[in-house]
Amino acid sequence: MVDDTKKEIDKEKIKSSIRLWLPISITTYTLPHTMELYMQDVLNTFLSECHQEHMSVYLSYCLSELVTNAKKANTKWIYFKEKGLNIYDEEDYEKGMESFKQETLDNIDYWLLTQKKEGLYVRLVLQEYKDKIKIEIHNNRELTLFEYKRIHDKLARARKYNSVDEVYSQILDNSEGAGLGIIIIILMLEKIGLTEENYQVISENGETITRIILPVNKESDLALKELSKTYADNANTIPVFQSKLSEISTLLDEKDISYPSLSKKISKDISLSLIALHYVNSVMQIPCKSLPKALELIGPDTLRLLYSHKNQMLRYITTLDDDQNLWEHSSRIAFYAYNLARNLASEDSVVSEEIFISGLLHDIGRIFFITASTEQMDAVTDVLKERNFPFTAINALSAGINHSYLGYCIVKNWNFPEDLCNTILYHHDPLYAPRSISKSVAIIYIADMMSRYIEKTVDFYQIDKSILRQFNIITEEKFSKLANMAEEAFVKTNL
């Protein structure tokens, strides 16, 4: 998002970014009042979706103070440049600051326009990742050594105050206005149980980053994990569309079964694929992450039973409106990943057939939750009440916040191979995946991002560039080209 005018909040995009652990970024060059209000609205919506709305009032103040400071820092940079003063020289710095405030206020539009021409920005970055929430304000000029020292001196001063009233009283009595904003920020953070350790100022690589780190509520995190395990323990049926099952039954009724044709048909649907993979891994107790191999191991007679209405493991589902797109999404990611593996990782130990299955099953946690039976939800609700967990935990689970872990628990219970289980667990977190599957997980991640990029639910800036560099994808142009090629091939294959 890059704009200097207020826009409508894209709540769905914020939800999606939280679920996928992706950063949300808003960039402005002049910070007009409309943009500041927009940033506040995005922050409040973000905190609400992270179930941290109780922090909104305090963090809104912090955001306002920090973005204003970042804008002033950029203006200062331009002012010193035009005055021919060296901002890194302490004597020049003191000289420039004597007139900086008055001269820039007298003609603020000129200075803001000039800093915009110079490309000096203020950027808000929000991200929920694992056990923390990150709020960052970036501006692309580094602090001087003495500016950095003064900030830390102000942080030290904040320790001696116990309330905002005390700050105002003592600072006004002593005529000491400098550092008021930072001191109040620290007191605001203390109001929500944080300390100055949760407040960081970093200046490197041409940027200054002010960061507030919020630990995710441990009780909520525990609730999500316990509810996920409970749901997985009660996931004893496979949701399937009856029309899809009938198509496979018809193929199996033919005199001469064509296993390649059968495998191709089944592989386009996650539910149909799960029927065979579950039977081999869980019932036959044979580790298997290849659909063709699974079909051969089962044999025609058992296959006819598995893909019939007699199979008590199956639970028929009806149209799920927009959620039904998850079936197509799973098929699309499997197709993308398979082809990315063949074209970008052919020299690595990545097996295309296995990565196809990993792509197909990557969102199994989301699919199983949106098709939950009454009995499954009752079991989750019972644990919620017994453990006195907040009801928001179910909302978070429903929103897909913990879908990677939920999917992992399901396939782990079904005795699927460990590598496949871990690929599902880490598909939004490839940098932390075990080394043995790091390449495969990276491919699933890129395939997923490509699909969402084409859908315009993810922007290129949100994608981890270190993952892309592993496959020599450096520019958005190259990424976009690969994504569109994959989509065109997928559409053509499914005509």
Side-chain angles (χ1 to χ4, degrees):
M1 309 175 198
V2 181
D3 204 344
D4 277 353
T5 58
K6 191 180 180 188
K7 302 188 297 184
E8 291 297 320
I9 301 296
D10 190 340
K11 193 171 181 178
E12 288 306 313
K13 198 163 191 175
I14 292 173
K15 282 183 178 180
S16 177
S17 297
I18 292 170
R19 186 177 68 245
L20 303 175
W21 290 348
L22 297 176
I24 300 165
S25 175
I26 304 169
T27 301
T28 179
Y29 294 91
T30 58
L31 193 65
H33 185 58
T34 52
M35 177 55 77
E36 190 171 352
L37 290 176
Y38 176 63
M39 286 181 167
Q40 294 280 357
D41 288 346
V42 170
L43 173 66
N44 291 334
T45 303
F46 174 80
L47 290 172
S48 177
E49 292 301 326
C50 292
H51 309 290
Q52 307 291 335
E53 47 271 268
H54 62 286
M55 299 183 178
S56 290
V57 173
Y58 304 103
L59 293 176
S60 289
Y61 172 85
C62 296
L63 174 64
S64 180
E65 183 72 23
L66 293 174
V67 294
T68 300
N69 287 347
K71 181 175 77 170
K72 286 179 181 176
N74 289 346
T75 306
K76 188 191 301 182
W77 179 268
I78 293 298
Y79 177 80
F80 273 70
K81 183 179 178 181
E82 292 219 353
K83 292 296 181 180
L85 297 171
N86 181 2
I87 199 169
Y88 292 103
D89 180 85
E90 193 161 8
E91 189 174 323
D92 271 10
Y93 184 85
E94 297 296 339
K95 180 180 178 182
M97 289 304 294
E98 290 176 5
S99 54
F100 165 71
K101 184 175 181 180
Q102 190 59 52
E103 286 194 26
T104 53
L105 284 176
D106 288 344
N107 194 9
I108 190 62
D109 289 341
Y110 167 78
W111 296 106
L112 291 177
L113 181 62
T114 304
Q115 71 187 44
K116 182 176 182 179
K117 288 179 179 177
E118 290 281 336
L120 295 177
Y121 56 75
V122 176
R123 179 172 294 148
L124 168 66
V125 179
L126 305 170
Q127 185 175 16
E128 180 173 14
Y129 181 74
K130 287 190 172 182
D131 59 347
K132 66 185 68 164
I133 294 171
K134 183 170 64 176
I135 301 172
E136 292 183 345
I137 305 299
H138 297 230
N139 67 288
N140 52 337
R141 64 147 296 230
E142 290 190 22
L143 293 169
T144 65
L145 183 61
F146 33 95
E147 284 176 321
Y148 196 78
K149 183 177 180 300
R150 288 178 185 181
I151 287 173
H152 282 272
D153 287 344
K154 293 169 187 176
L155 290 173
R157 287 176 60 197
R159 298 190 192 110
K160 68 180 183 180
Y161 299 105
N162 297 310
S163 70
V164 173
D165 288 341
E166 186 180 348
V167 173
Y168 279 115
S169 171
Q170 292 193 26
I171 286 182
L172 289 176
D173 288 347
N174 297 326
S175 300
E176 296 178 3
L180 179 64
I182 290 179
I183 292 171
I184 294 179
I185 284 174
I186 298 304
L187 290 172
M188 289 290 184
L189 295 180
E190 288 178 356
K191 290 272 189 183
I192 51 179
L194 306 178
T195 69
E196 66 181 80
E197 292 181 1
N198 297 92
Y199 180 86
Q200 302 170 355
V201 180
I202 302 164
S203 196
E204 60 186 12
N205 300 321
E207 273 196 330
T208 295
I209 303 171
T210 306
R211 178 182 296 144
I212 297 174
I213 301 292
L214 312 173
V216 172
N217 187 290
K218 289 184 178 180
E219 183 184 6
S220 296
D221 188 50
L222 174 63
L224 268 177
K225 286 188 175 180
E226 288 298 316
L227 295 181
S228 296
K229 288 178 182 177
T230 299
Y231 186 90
D233 290 343
N234 286 274
N236 300 317
T237 56
I238 296 174
V240 64
F241 293 101
Q242 189 166 1
S243 59
K244 296 287 187 181
L245 190 71
S246 297
E247 292 176 14
I248 303 304
S249 295
T250 301
L251 284 177
L252 287 167
D253 284 340
E254 294 178 0
K255 186 176 180 180
D256 296 316
I257 298 174
S258 169
Y259 277 94
S261 297
L262 183 65
S263 178
K264 184 177 180 181
K265 190 74 174 177
I266 291 175
S267 70
K268 292 184 178 182
D269 187 281
I270 179 175
S271 298
L272 298 177
S273 299
L274 275 173
I275 294 171
L277 291 167
H278 171 269
Y279 188 81
V280 173
N281 285 285
S282 192
V283 179
M284 297 178 70
Q285 297 283 304
I286 300 174
C288 180
K289 44 187 174 179
S290 164
L291 185 58
K293 180 182 176 183
L295 297 177
E296 288 180 16
L297 286 169
I298 296 169
D301 292 337
T302 305
L303 282 172
R304 289 189 185 96
L305 178 61
L306 289 177
Y307 289 94
S308 75
H309 68 277
K310 296 178 182 179
N311 187 351
Q312 298 300 309
M313 180 76 183
L314 307 185
R315 176 166 45 85
Y316 295 132
I317 50 175
T318 55
T319 302
L320 297 167
D321 300 323
D322 290 341
D323 288 329
Q324 192 171 348
N325 290 332
L326 277 173
W327 270 257
E328 184 175 312
H329 174 74
S330 297
S331 180
R332 177 177 275 107
I333 301 313
F335 181 88
Y336 283 15
Y338 176 82
N339 286 283
L340 285 171
R342 292 183 64 191
N343 292 293
L344 298 181
S346 58
E347 296 180 1
D348 297 302
S349 57
V350 176
V351 181
S352 300
E353 176 58 35
E354 293 179 2
I355 206 167
F356 180 93
I357 292 300
S358 296
L360 193 65
L361 304 188
H362 79 289
D363 267 350
I364 184 177
R366 291 189 66 200
I367 284 175
F368 267 63
F369 194 83
I370 65 170
T371 59
S373 67
T374 302
E375 292 77 14
Q376 288 168 333
M377 287 310 300
D378 285 346
V380 171
T381 305
D382 287 345
V383 170
L384 187 85
K385 293 175 181 177
E386 288 169 10
R387 301 289 300 274
N388 198 27
F389 288 140
F391 190 78
T392 52
I394 284 188
N395 294 335
L397 198 62
S398 177
I401 299 299
N402 210 39
H403 73 276
S404 298
Y405 184 71
L406 174 57
Y408 167 83
C409 290
I410 291 170
V411 293
K412 188 76 172 175
N413 284 356
W414 288 357
N415 203 37
F416 278 39
E418 185 177 0
D419 281 357
L420 180 52
C421 297
N422 282 330
T423 301
I424 292 170
L425 178 62
Y426 289 99
H427 75 271
H428 289 308
D429 195 22
L431 292 178
Y432 291 88
R435 183 172 295 182
S436 61
I437 58 167
S438 60
K439 211 73 169 182
S440 298
V441 177
I443 291 172
I444 300 296
Y445 171 84
I446 292 174
D448 192 29
M449 292 300 103
M450 283 181 170
S451 172
R452 299 177 190 281
Y453 177 83
I454 289 172
E455 294 169 355
K456 300 188 184 304
T457 57
V458 163
D459 294 321
F460 183 71
Y461 80 81
Q462 296 180 285
I463 304 167
D464 193 309
K465 303 306 178 291
S466 66
I467 301 297
L468 295 178
R469 283 195 296 270
Q470 292 180 29
F471 302 94
N472 197 33
I473 304 173
I474 309 300
T475 65
E476 182 172 4
E477 182 182 8
K478 183 171 183 179
F479 179 82
S480 179
K481 183 178 178 180
L482 287 170
N484 283 300
M485 287 172 60
E487 177 61 13
E488 288 171 9
F490 176 75
V491 172
K492 185 177 180 180
T493 301
N494 287 274
L495 285 176

